[in-house]
Amino acid sequence: AQQSQEERDDGRRQDREARRRERSVDDSRDSDFNDNCFHTLNPPDENFKKSLVMKAIKQVIRTKRPNGTHQATVCVVCDRVIIGEEKVCNTSTERLEENRHRIPGFLQIV
């Protein structure tokens, strides 16, 4: 199964051509990417700015208590701070007691 010198040269030539084609495709992708990266960005409109400000205010006042202080929202089951925009739900002591068998490491609720 020895290859002749001509067959080896032909294989190398095909490999070089395949690598050249791959580089050409990669270069064109890079060129497209760079062309798309340098478009001028328009500044955000006023409505978008206002919506971002309102969203930030909503996040800040989420932890505000009636007496004017802030208190972190913490999960009573895992004792971790709840971060994000999801709705904070309350649950009763009775419901926690009913589901005691589902909560690993559940402490006695006083």
Side-chain angles (χ1 to χ4, degrees), residues 2-3 16-19 39 55 62 69 85 99 103:
Q2 290 268 339
Q3 288 183 334
R16 277 193 306 271
E17 289 172 6
R19 285 193 300 270
H39 290 292
K55 189 175 179 182
R62 177 178 171 174
T69 62
E85 297 180 25
N99 292 288
I103 306 170

Side-chain angles (χ1 to χ4, degrees), residues 16 18 58 71:
R16 277 193 306 271
K58 183 180 173 186
Q71 180 179 357

Side-chain angles (χ1 to χ4, degrees), residues 6-80:
E6 189 176 307
E7 290 172 326
R8 284 193 296 266
D9 289 344
D10 189 46
R12 288 183 189 129
R13 190 171 29 260
Q14 289 175 356
D15 288 345
R16 277 193 306 271
E17 289 172 6
R19 285 193 300 270
R20 191 175 301 126
R21 281 192 301 272
E22 287 174 13
R23 279 193 304 268
S24 173
V25 168
D26 288 344
D27 289 346
S28 70
R29 285 185 193 145
D30 289 345
S31 174
D32 290 344
F33 176 76
N34 288 333
D35 290 346
N36 291 331
C37 284
F38 294 109
H39 290 292
T40 304
L41 296 176
N42 295 326
D45 65 349
E46 288 302 313
N47 288 335
F48 182 69
K49 288 181 197 177
K50 286 179 183 177
S51 72
L52 290 178
V53 169
M54 293 307 292
K55 189 175 179 182
I57 290 171
K58 183 180 173 186
Q59 282 294 100
V60 169
I61 63 173
R62 177 178 171 174
T63 60
K64 190 171 183 180
R65 301 297 176 232
N67 65 0
T69 62
H70 287 269
Q71 180 179 357
T73 310
V74 179
C75 176
V76 296
V77 176
C78 66
D79 198 31
R80 293 189 180 150

